[in-house]
Amino acid sequence: MRRTDPEGHRPAPQTLPQGHGPVRYGPTLPDDGLPVLPELSAVLAAAAGRGGEEPVGGGAALIEAACGYWARRGLAVTGDRVTAGPGAPALLLALTAALGGDVLVPRPCPAWWAPYARLLGRPVFHVPTPAESGGVPDPYALLETVRRVREEGGDPRLLVLSIADDPTATVAPPELLHETVEAAAGEGLHLVSDETWRDTLHVPHGTVLLSPAEMLPDRVTVVMDLAGALLPAGWPAAVARFPEGDTGTALHARVLDVLTAMGARLAGPVAVTAGYALDEPEPVVVRREAAVRLHARVAAAAHTAVVVGGALARPPQAGRHLYADLEPLRAALGAQGVGDAQELEDLLGARLGMPAPGGHRFGDDLAALRVRLATGPLLGGTDEERLECLMSPAPLELPHVQRALMSLRSVLDDLRDDAQRWEPPR
């Protein structure tokens, strides 16, 4: 096994715009595409006069709001075990620096996980996920990876996973999660559970979602970026919940030291707005539930288009995206000069007029023809169109949504038809 994980990037064509190269371009979280909730804007505006610095780790009001948020989900915690930061990336960077050692992540995983470990000079090892879901490594593959890393002199200490996943939009079954958590605990790993998407389940009462912190309370740190379901992505805020016992106490202190050294404070007005959102007042809850229903419908329609078009995809269960595998269309894509995920990203991005980041952005194999498709761009091109989607009882029947889905179907249908022409005669 290599001591470093290959990036899997190809040289950037000279025609790519600035900021879109394989090194500089990292896919952002799938945006909800919706206008900012007026009540959130009002809270932010009211706090705009706050010019003082927010304490490192967040002020008392924000910490109390985060404690209440987790208590309502059966994860009670005291304020001395909660930290806030300007987005989940800053918190994960601080956690990685504080814990030391090598880092294990599932394959695929969010595009922003591995770069922060590499920034610190830490080797990153991708562990395969099972066929039924992403976000959580296969327990047997995890044990084998840990064994091989240690044989080569490595020091695996941290496993990062997600129960509701970007990029695959799946939710790990409780039995798989339990086996993986047990395997990680047996190997002495610390777990970071990215729960950014936990409040975006498409069928909230039909999908069982458990946090690893419920299974292993003394070895799991939970991180949640509020851009998942509570705040706009442009207002960066995230919270972390540290484990029980001496381990959690020491880790919390080290993370605060790192955040202090980074100057990673929330802006005061954003901290106030984050606290308001974490308290989950009625306007926030109503908007969140409506947005989840909307994206669930659009994601299901996009999934149907992908499958009918001859590609593969797990049914999306959470978030605002799906992960499509176009391997069955390789012959047709090859005829158009597409042989890997970067070339597929370029082709679909141009034809669909929306980002279609390749699987290599998420640590997947460059040679695999996989992309993440977001549902936000399918809601329309203006705030008025997107708000109409949110308010409509039948958003899939709106003309601008139909046009967007038709474009997706047309691109995939053309590739499917081309692939069938390329099939050898039986």
Side-chain angles (χ1 to χ4, degrees):
M1 177 179 289
R2 296 183 180 94
R3 279 310 317 264
T4 56
D5 184 71
E7 292 286 352
H9 293 311
R10 303 167 66 252
Q14 294 302 310
T15 55
L16 283 180
Q18 180 70 20
H20 195 72
V23 174
R24 298 183 302 278
Y25 170 57
T28 58
L29 292 177
D31 191 6
D32 69 4
L34 299 170
V36 176
L37 180 67
E39 287 81 357
L40 288 178
S41 295
V43 172
L44 185 73
R50 292 183 46 142
E53 286 192 332
E54 189 76 5
V56 172
L62 176 55
I63 297 301
E64 182 180 357
C67 290
Y69 170 90
W70 274 309
R72 290 189 293 275
R73 285 153 180 81
L75 291 170
V77 64
T78 54
D80 59 344
R81 296 186 184 276
V82 173
T83 289
L91 294 180
L92 183 59
L93 177 62
L95 280 162
T96 305
L99 286 164
D102 300 346
V103 180
L104 303 166
V105 297
R107 184 189 300 275
C109 70
W112 55 274
W113 283 3
Y116 288 92
R118 295 192 180 103
L119 183 65
L120 296 168
R122 305 284 168 75
V124 178
F125 298 92
H126 288 268
V127 186
T129 54
E132 63 267 29
S133 65
V136 175
D138 177 88
Y140 300 103
L142 175 65
L143 292 172
E144 175 62 13
T145 301
V146 170
R147 182 189 66 79
R148 293 175 63 188
V149 171
R150 286 177 175 156
E151 279 185 354
E152 291 191 355
D155 182 21
R157 297 188 194 176
L158 171 61
L159 169 64
V160 189
L161 48 74
S162 55
I163 48 176
D165 185 45
D166 172 25
T168 66
T170 58
V171 176
E175 57 273 14
L176 166 67
L177 180 64
H178 189 268
E179 291 177 6
T180 299
V181 167
E182 279 195 336
E187 296 298 330
L189 302 178
H190 189 88
L191 282 74
V192 170
S193 177
D194 179 0
E195 300 186 7
T196 295
W197 301 103
R198 69 168 297 148
D199 292 328
T200 66
L201 298 184
H202 294 179
V203 186
H205 302 295
T207 305
V208 179
L209 184 146
L210 295 177
S211 171
E214 300 177 61
M215 304 176 183
L216 200 65
D218 60 341
R219 297 193 70 88
V220 177
T221 299
V222 175
V223 172
M224 185 188 71
D225 198 305
L226 272 64
L230 293 173
L231 288 183
W235 304 356
V239 288
R241 176 192 183 276
F242 290 84
E244 300 173 358
D246 294 341
T247 297
T249 300
L251 182 58
H252 180 256
R254 291 198 298 272
V255 165
L256 286 177
D257 286 344
V258 176
L259 292 174
T260 301
M262 294 167 57
R265 292 177 169 87
L266 278 85
V270 173
V272 172
T273 313
Y276 171 80
L278 284 165
D279 280 337
E280 299 180 290
E282 183 179 2
V284 170
V285 173
V286 170
R287 163 60 76 89
R288 181 179 65 202
E289 292 177 351
V292 169
R293 286 194 301 270
L294 170 61
H295 283 280
R297 291 173 179 175
V298 177
H303 177 261
T304 298
V306 167
V307 173
V308 171
L312 306 171
R314 299 183 182 105
Q317 298 173 285
R320 305 183 282 261
H321 52 285
L322 69 156
Y323 199 53
D325 185 351
L326 277 68
E327 181 63 32
L329 307 176
R330 181 175 287 277
L333 289 165
Q336 300 185 47
V338 174
D340 63 27
Q342 176 64 64
E343 292 163 344
L344 180 60
E345 173 185 302
D346 295 338
L347 176 74
L348 290 182
R351 290 198 177 184
L352 294 174
M354 57 182 268
H360 62 303
R361 308 290 189 185
F362 309 100
D364 219 336
D365 184 1
L366 174 65
L369 297 177
R370 301 188 185 110
V371 294
R372 187 190 71 186
L373 300 173
T375 51
L378 303 175
L379 303 182
T382 67
D383 281 350
E384 291 74 17
E385 288 181 341
R386 295 163 184 158
L387 191 58
E388 186 181 7
C389 288
L390 187 68
M391 304 304 293
S392 173
L396 299 182
E397 297 178 9
L398 296 174
H400 53 277
V401 177
Q402 287 187 339
R403 286 194 298 270
L405 290 169
M406 189 178 301
S407 175
L408 175 60
R409 286 194 295 267
S410 177
V411 169
L412 293 169
D413 287 350
D414 288 347
L415 291 172
R416 179 200 60 204
D417 294 343
D418 289 345
Q420 290 172 349
R421 283 192 289 270
W422 277 88
E423 287 182 356
R426 297 182 183 275

